[in-house]
């Protein structure tokens, strides 16, 4: 794991970062810094901890409201039917007869 020094609202932090994740971490830091700075600059909240909590809530809300990217469902598989499977289904149906058919 690599370590990166970042700055959020003028304060430095040393963060762990997986190899190859530097760009994503830098983008996340920039987003958090923008959100926290906007809250601070609005002038209503002064405590750094409260600013951090409000920024986290704002970012979480934005993430929850973002449109979900639809992932196409895989094509349905062809139903398997072999003599062995058919015999097994028949045995299961017989064993579960009082509850109804399995398939």
């Amino acid at each position: 794991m690599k370590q990166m020094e970042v700055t959020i609202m003028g304060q430095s932090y040393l963060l762990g970062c997986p190899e190859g994740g530097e760009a994503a971490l830098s983008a996340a830091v920039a987003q958090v810094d923008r959100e926290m700075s906007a809250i601070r600059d609005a002038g209503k909240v002064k405590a750094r901890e409260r600013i951090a909590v409000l920024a986290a809530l704002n970012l979480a809300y934005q993430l929850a409201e973002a449109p979900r990217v639809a992932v196409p469902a895989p094509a349905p598989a062809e139903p398997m039917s072999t003599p062995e499977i058919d015999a097994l289904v028949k045995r299961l149906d017989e064993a579960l007869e009082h509850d109804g058919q399995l398939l």
Side-chain angles (χ1 to χ4, degrees):
M1 175 142 326
K2 182 179 181 175
Q3 295 213 333
M4 283 181 59
E5 186 173 350
V6 301
T7 303
I8 300 173
M9 264 185 32
Q11 186 168 342
S12 292
Y13 297 90
L14 190 59
L15 304 176
C17 177
E19 291 296 327
E22 296 87 357
L25 180 58
S26 292
V29 166
Q31 188 175 12
V32 168
D33 184 54
R34 279 191 306 273
E35 190 68 34
M36 288 182 68
S37 295
I39 293 168
R40 178 199 61 207
D41 295 345
K44 294 182 181 178
V45 181
K46 298 292 182 201
R48 187 177 279 276
E49 180 180 299
R50 289 184 60 89
I51 291 171
V53 168
L54 290 172
L57 289 170
N58 287 343
L59 293 169
Y61 180 80
Q62 291 170 16
L63 182 61
E65 288 296 304
R68 304 249 190 276
V69 176
V71 177
E78 288 294 318
M80 291 178 44
S81 182
T82 65
E84 293 86 6
I85 292 174
D86 292 339
L88 180 59
V89 169
K90 183 178 179 191
R91 285 181 54 202
L92 287 170
D93 282 341
E94 290 168 359
L96 298 172
E97 191 170 279
H98 65 282
D99 288 332
Q101 297 292 306
L102 180 63
L103 296 177

